[in-house]
Amino acid sequence: QVQLVESGGGLVQPGGSLRLSCAPSGIIFSRNSMGWYRQAPGKERELVARITSGGRTNYADSVKGRFTISRDNTKNTVYLQMNGLKPDDTAVYYCNSQNDWSFMEYWGLGTLVTVSS
């Protein structure tokens, strides 16, 4: 059974930082691209950042220069370092995996990030 478990969300003041983690089980981590998506209240889910199995990254324009996605294949974990957080970053953040060959993808249940003073 595949599970993607996110952690690290919480309440932070504007300008603060958080680091999200996602540790999948049941997949071959090194053969998957990993992504972070978010969904704010009343809005559609959107891509925040992705990292391929080879380490290439791409980011939403709204987070470029503030967020960094990384992966540690020895720990089967993907991270999202979020700096300079803004109230507009408030959302539920979801971890996603997509197999490089089958394109089968899985989602975590999400972790809530709230940016507020």
Side-chain angles (χ1 to χ4, degrees):
Q1 183 178 0
V2 177
Q3 283 189 314
L4 277 65
V5 180
E6 302 101 336
S7 61
L11 174 64
V12 63
Q13 292 187 342
S17 297
L18 283 174
R19 189 176 80 157
L20 305 183
S21 300
C22 173
S25 60
I27 64 171
I28 302 174
F29 185 75
S30 61
R31 297 181 184 176
N32 280 261
S33 294
M34 301 298 299
W36 288 98
Y37 290 72
R38 67 186 180 187
Q39 187 167 18
K43 295 187 177 181
E44 294 187 353
R45 192 174 296 190
E46 63 176 0
L47 173 69
V48 176
R50 286 196 67 81
I51 184 166
T52 69
S53 57
R56 288 177 297 172
T57 60
N58 65 287
Y59 297 90
D61 287 343
S62 59
V63 307
K64 283 180 181 176
R66 299 188 298 124
F67 291 10
T68 302
I69 189 170
S70 61
R71 63 190 296 158
D72 185 339
N73 287 353
T74 66
K75 297 181 178 179
N76 283 7
T77 303
V78 62
Y79 305 97
L80 184 68
Q81 178 67 44
M82 304 186 293
N83 299 328
L85 282 161
K86 305 174 182 180
D88 283 350
D89 296 318
T90 296
V92 177
Y93 284 71
Y94 297 91
C95 180
N96 170 272
S97 69
Q98 186 178 58
N99 185 276
D100 289 346
W101 293 99
S102 69
F103 302 107
M104 182 74 72
E105 61 177 346
Y106 298 95
W107 293 89
L109 296 180
T111 185
L112 177 62
V113 172
T114 303
V115 185
S116 175
S117 55

